[in-house]
Amino acid sequence: FESNPDSNTPHLLLLGLRRSGKSSIQKVVFAKMPPNDTLYLGTTTKTDARPAIKSFIDLQIWDCPGQIDYLEEGVFDAQNIFANAGAIVYVIDAQDDFTDSLIRLQSTIEHAYKINPEINFEILIHKVDGLSDDNKQGTLDMISQQVSEEIAEMGIPVEPSYYLTSIYDHSVFEAFSKIIQKLLPQLGTLENLLTAFAEKSGIEKAYLFDTLTKIYIATDASPVDMQSYEICSDMIDVIIDFECIYGKRPPEMDEAPMVAPMQYMMPQDDDQPAEDGLYNQSVVESEGSSLIRLSNGMVLYLREVNRLLLLICLLRSDNLEKRGLIDYNFQCFKKAIVEIFEVTKGARQAHRIDDGM
Ligand code: GDP
């Protein structure tokens, strides 16, 4: 068992029975593996901790093999692992008999709650691509009801969240977006910024994406519909494919292909505004942007916030006339984002100094 090298930071634990789909989820969401390639993944045989996302908040995926009883003393250092986890992401194979999986989930909740009552329980009802729509909802209702009854019997105030997921569509990305957002202390500020930006710029929907994972880390206050999320996340694939074929990447990006570990969110030095508060010309010029016109009169507009973060907006094509205003608002938005993460970084450093590090 490998110990967590950075056990003071919050992280996700990815748990579930063997063959439930944990490795596949990790590879598809965090390493850009095409879903069909997961058919050839070997079953996980060791507990594995690897940094998945490193940023202002450190998240880790723990891939835990189903055959090990992690509640058994000495095999799984539950105290250390649960105490430091922000969320347990528990994967249930919806195409299989899930009786055993639910028994295990119940003991996981009981055990983890005792150690860390703050931990979020996120339940993925996974591989739902094989189920009809009625069946999906029926399975979700059955599982959530059973889990709620068990939790009520335990008498603990735990309220798990449920997600219907599949690696063959966007659902697993959407689920991880929501799971990760709950762990972001800056989420409220980011949402307010996006809402203000969208309202002032005539934008219908705006998503702030992590380029590498296609996880959206925040969106504006208008309701999220799966279609707008899907089309915006598809745009990332289109742009990345296009850039890979025709684009010129700076040499330092050669080491950071799409399968790199997630090192994101820290503003780059060249993202800093000049002394007078304005962005210098070279920064503005080096920013990537893309525009795709859709046949329904809408436009997808992408702007690079920094090398690892993208803003993607959906707006009516008439509103493109206000492009100057949108671009000006974007610069203000970007400046605010840089400041938020500078503050967080500063706070973290101060915290380390307080801790004597
Ligand atoms: P692990 O043992 O929990 O790590 O499970 P794996 O990731 O090895 O997955 C077991 C099998 O489930 C593999 O053959 C995957 O291709 C398959 N699988 C994973 N996710 C999905 C999914 O969303 N839909 C379907 N149909 N199969 C999946």
Side-chain angles (χ1 to χ4, degrees), residues 163-178:
Y163 309 85
L164 292 164
T165 57
S166 162
I167 52 168
Y168 289 98
D169 59 31
H170 295 84
S171 56
V172 72
F173 293 93
E174 167 96 10
F176 270 91
S177 297
K178 290 184 178 152

PDB file of all heavy atoms in Angstrom, residues 163-178:
ATOM      1  N   TYR A 163     -25.435   9.975  -8.989  1.00  0.00           N
ATOM      2  CA  TYR A 163     -25.220  10.381 -10.380  1.00  0.00           C
ATOM      3  C   TYR A 163     -25.345   9.145 -11.260  1.00  0.00           C
ATOM      4  O   TYR A 163     -24.792   8.091 -10.924  1.00  0.00           O
ATOM      5  CB  TYR A 163     -23.806  10.951 -10.570  1.00  0.00           C
ATOM      6  CG  TYR A 163     -23.441  12.021  -9.569  1.00  0.00           C
ATOM      7  CD1 TYR A 163     -22.930  11.680  -8.319  1.00  0.00           C
ATOM      8  CD2 TYR A 163     -23.617  13.372  -9.869  1.00  0.00           C
ATOM      9  CE1 TYR A 163     -22.601  12.649  -7.388  1.00  0.00           C
ATOM     10  CE2 TYR A 163     -23.285  14.357  -8.936  1.00  0.00           C
ATOM     11  CZ  TYR A 163     -22.778  13.986  -7.692  1.00  0.00           C
ATOM     12  OH  TYR A 163     -22.454  14.949  -6.771  1.00  0.00           O
ATOM     13  N   LEU A 164     -26.052   9.276 -12.376  1.00  0.00           N
ATOM     14  CA  LEU A 164     -26.101   8.184 -13.368  1.00  0.00           C
ATOM     15  C   LEU A 164     -24.953   8.439 -14.329  1.00  0.00           C
ATOM     16  O   LEU A 164     -24.910   9.490 -14.974  1.00  0.00           O
ATOM     17  CB  LEU A 164     -27.435   8.217 -14.114  1.00  0.00           C
ATOM     18  CG  LEU A 164     -28.674   7.869 -13.273  1.00  0.00           C
ATOM     19  CD1 LEU A 164     -29.944   8.301 -13.989  1.00  0.00           C
ATOM     20  CD2 LEU A 164     -28.725   6.370 -12.971  1.00  0.00           C
ATOM     21  N   THR A 165     -24.013   7.519 -14.421  1.00  0.00           N
ATOM     22  CA  THR A 165     -22.823   7.812 -15.235  1.00  0.00           C
ATOM     23  C   THR A 165     -22.473   6.706 -16.226  1.00  0.00           C
ATOM     24  O   THR A 165     -22.843   5.539 -16.053  1.00  0.00           O
ATOM     25  CB  THR A 165     -21.576   8.054 -14.347  1.00  0.00           C
ATOM     26  OG1 THR A 165     -21.371   6.909 -13.530  1.00  0.00           O
ATOM     27  CG2 THR A 165     -21.700   9.284 -13.503  1.00  0.00           C
ATOM     28  N   SER A 166     -21.751   7.119 -17.248  1.00  0.00           N
ATOM     29  CA  SER A 166     -21.195   6.194 -18.228  1.00  0.00           C
ATOM     30  C   SER A 166     -19.956   6.847 -18.812  1.00  0.00           C
ATOM     31  O   SER A 166     -19.929   8.071 -18.987  1.00  0.00           O
ATOM     32  CB  SER A 166     -22.220   5.944 -19.337  1.00  0.00           C
ATOM     33  OG  SER A 166     -21.563   5.411 -20.467  1.00  0.00           O
ATOM     34  N   ILE A 167     -18.953   6.034 -19.106  1.00  0.00           N
ATOM     35  CA  ILE A 167     -17.761   6.633 -19.729  1.00  0.00           C
ATOM     36  C   ILE A 167     -17.996   6.899 -21.217  1.00  0.00           C
ATOM     37  O   ILE A 167     -17.172   7.516 -21.872  1.00  0.00           O
ATOM     38  CB  ILE A 167     -16.489   5.742 -19.571  1.00  0.00           C
ATOM     39  CG1 ILE A 167     -16.761   4.316 -20.048  1.00  0.00           C
ATOM     40  CG2 ILE A 167     -15.971   5.779 -18.157  1.00  0.00           C
ATOM     41  CD1 ILE A 167     -15.508   3.485 -20.205  1.00  0.00           C
ATOM     42  N   TYR A 168     -19.138   6.404 -21.745  1.00  0.00           N
ATOM     43  CA  TYR A 168     -19.382   6.565 -23.180  1.00  0.00           C
ATOM     44  C   TYR A 168     -20.105   7.864 -23.537  1.00  0.00           C
ATOM     45  O   TYR A 168     -20.426   8.104 -24.687  1.00  0.00           O
ATOM     46  CB  TYR A 168     -20.159   5.355 -23.728  1.00  0.00           C
ATOM     47  CG  TYR A 168     -19.279   4.130 -23.755  1.00  0.00           C
ATOM     48  CD1 TYR A 168     -19.339   3.185 -22.735  1.00  0.00           C
ATOM     49  CD2 TYR A 168     -18.341   3.938 -24.771  1.00  0.00           C
ATOM     50  CE1 TYR A 168     -18.503   2.077 -22.735  1.00  0.00           C
ATOM     51  CE2 TYR A 168     -17.508   2.841 -24.780  1.00  0.00           C
ATOM     52  CZ  TYR A 168     -17.590   1.916 -23.766  1.00  0.00           C
ATOM     53  OH  TYR A 168     -16.748   0.839 -23.769  1.00  0.00           O
ATOM     54  N   ASP A 169     -20.428   8.675 -22.514  1.00  0.00           N
ATOM     55  CA  ASP A 169     -20.998   9.996 -22.836  1.00  0.00           C
ATOM     56  C   ASP A 169     -20.471  11.028 -21.847  1.00  0.00           C
ATOM     57  O   ASP A 169     -19.497  10.760 -21.135  1.00  0.00           O
ATOM     58  CB  ASP A 169     -22.538   9.940 -22.870  1.00  0.00           C
ATOM     59  CG  ASP A 169     -23.124   9.489 -21.545  1.00  0.00           C
ATOM     60  OD1 ASP A 169     -22.505   9.773 -20.506  1.00  0.00           O
ATOM     61  OD2 ASP A 169     -24.194   8.860 -21.537  1.00  0.00           O
ATOM     62  N   HIS A 170     -21.126  12.183 -21.772  1.00  0.00           N
ATOM     63  CA  HIS A 170     -20.603  13.268 -20.937  1.00  0.00           C
ATOM     64  C   HIS A 170     -20.965  13.114 -19.464  1.00  0.00           C
ATOM     65  O   HIS A 170     -20.526  13.900 -18.636  1.00  0.00           O
ATOM     66  CB  HIS A 170     -21.146  14.618 -21.423  1.00  0.00           C
ATOM     67  CG  HIS A 170     -20.673  14.984 -22.783  1.00  0.00           C
ATOM     68  ND1 HIS A 170     -21.283  14.532 -23.926  1.00  0.00           N
ATOM     69  CD2 HIS A 170     -19.634  15.727 -23.191  1.00  0.00           C
ATOM     70  CE1 HIS A 170     -20.650  14.998 -24.976  1.00  0.00           C
ATOM     71  NE2 HIS A 170     -19.641  15.717 -24.564  1.00  0.00           N
ATOM     72  N   SER A 171     -21.812  12.131 -19.157  1.00  0.00           N
ATOM     73  CA  SER A 171     -22.361  12.080 -17.798  1.00  0.00           C
ATOM     74  C   SER A 171     -21.282  11.972 -16.725  1.00  0.00           C
ATOM     75  O   SER A 171     -21.389  12.574 -15.660  1.00  0.00           O
ATOM     76  CB  SER A 171     -23.339  10.913 -17.679  1.00  0.00           C
ATOM     77  OG  SER A 171     -22.694   9.713 -18.053  1.00  0.00           O
ATOM     78  N   VAL A 172     -20.212  11.240 -17.005  1.00  0.00           N
ATOM     79  CA  VAL A 172     -19.182  11.059 -15.987  1.00  0.00           C
ATOM     80  C   VAL A 172     -18.397  12.364 -15.778  1.00  0.00           C
ATOM     81  O   VAL A 172     -18.015  12.701 -14.651  1.00  0.00           O
ATOM     82  CB  VAL A 172     -18.300   9.827 -16.325  1.00  0.00           C
ATOM     83  CG1 VAL A 172     -17.390  10.068 -17.496  1.00  0.00           C
ATOM     84  CG2 VAL A 172     -17.486   9.405 -15.114  1.00  0.00           C
ATOM     85  N   PHE A 173     -18.248  13.152 -16.834  1.00  0.00           N
ATOM     86  CA  PHE A 173     -17.567  14.454 -16.701  1.00  0.00           C
ATOM     87  C   PHE A 173     -18.444  15.417 -15.897  1.00  0.00           C
ATOM     88  O   PHE A 173     -17.978  16.156 -15.051  1.00  0.00           O
ATOM     89  CB  PHE A 173     -17.277  15.060 -18.082  1.00  0.00           C
ATOM     90  CG  PHE A 173     -16.261  14.274 -18.867  1.00  0.00           C
ATOM     91  CD1 PHE A 173     -16.658  13.288 -19.748  1.00  0.00           C
ATOM     92  CD2 PHE A 173     -14.907  14.509 -18.701  1.00  0.00           C
ATOM     93  CE1 PHE A 173     -15.721  12.553 -20.459  1.00  0.00           C
ATOM     94  CE2 PHE A 173     -13.964  13.788 -19.402  1.00  0.00           C
ATOM     95  CZ  PHE A 173     -14.372  12.805 -20.289  1.00  0.00           C
ATOM     96  N   GLU A 174     -19.726  15.377 -16.226  1.00  0.00           N
ATOM     97  CA  GLU A 174     -20.690  16.233 -15.522  1.00  0.00           C
ATOM     98  C   GLU A 174     -20.689  15.884 -14.025  1.00  0.00           C
ATOM     99  O   GLU A 174     -20.671  16.774 -13.165  1.00  0.00           O
ATOM    100  CB  GLU A 174     -22.077  15.981 -16.144  1.00  0.00           C
ATOM    101  CG  GLU A 174     -23.244  16.531 -15.373  1.00  0.00           C
ATOM    102  CD  GLU A 174     -23.711  17.888 -15.872  1.00  0.00           C
ATOM    103  OE1 GLU A 174     -23.246  18.317 -16.935  1.00  0.00           O
ATOM    104  OE2 GLU A 174     -24.526  18.512 -15.170  1.00  0.00           O
ATOM    105  N   ALA A 175     -20.676  14.587 -13.726  1.00  0.00           N
ATOM    106  CA  ALA A 175     -20.687  14.163 -12.320  1.00  0.00           C
ATOM    107  C   ALA A 175     -19.432  14.659 -11.609  1.00  0.00           C
ATOM    108  O   ALA A 175     -19.510  15.248 -10.526  1.00  0.00           O
ATOM    109  CB  ALA A 175     -20.787  12.640 -12.235  1.00  0.00           C
ATOM    110  N   PHE A 176     -18.280  14.467 -12.222  1.00  0.00           N
ATOM    111  CA  PHE A 176     -17.036  14.912 -11.580  1.00  0.00           C
ATOM    112  C   PHE A 176     -16.986  16.437 -11.456  1.00  0.00           C
ATOM    113  O   PHE A 176     -16.417  16.961 -10.508  1.00  0.00           O
ATOM    114  CB  PHE A 176     -15.800  14.376 -12.321  1.00  0.00           C
ATOM    115  CG  PHE A 176     -15.376  13.041 -11.765  1.00  0.00           C
ATOM    116  CD1 PHE A 176     -15.867  11.870 -12.289  1.00  0.00           C
ATOM    117  CD2 PHE A 176     -14.523  12.970 -10.679  1.00  0.00           C
ATOM    118  CE1 PHE A 176     -15.513  10.640 -11.752  1.00  0.00           C
ATOM    119  CE2 PHE A 176     -14.157  11.756 -10.131  1.00  0.00           C
ATOM    120  CZ  PHE A 176     -14.647  10.583 -10.673  1.00  0.00           C
ATOM    121  N   SER A 177     -17.590  17.142 -12.414  1.00  0.00           N
ATOM    122  CA  SER A 177     -17.643  18.599 -12.288  1.00  0.00           C
ATOM    123  C   SER A 177     -18.362  18.963 -10.995  1.00  0.00           C
ATOM    124  O   SER A 177     -17.883  19.768 -10.200  1.00  0.00           O
ATOM    125  CB  SER A 177     -18.391  19.226 -13.464  1.00  0.00           C
ATOM    126  OG  SER A 177     -17.715  18.971 -14.669  1.00  0.00           O
ATOM    127  N   LYS A 178     -19.508  18.328 -10.778  1.00  0.00           N
ATOM    128  CA  LYS A 178     -20.290  18.666  -9.578  1.00  0.00           C
ATOM    129  C   LYS A 178     -19.556  18.246  -8.306  1.00  0.00           C
ATOM    130  O   LYS A 178     -19.559  18.964  -7.309  1.00  0.00           O
ATOM    131  CB  LYS A 178     -21.653  17.977  -9.637  1.00  0.00           C
ATOM    132  CG  LYS A 178     -22.520  18.586 -10.703  1.00  0.00           C
ATOM    133  CD  LYS A 178     -23.894  17.980 -10.700  1.00  0.00           C
ATOM    134  CE  LYS A 178     -24.764  18.644 -11.742  1.00  0.00           C
ATOM    135  NZ  LYS A 178     -25.798  17.732 -12.243  1.00  0.00           N
TER     136      LYS A 178
END
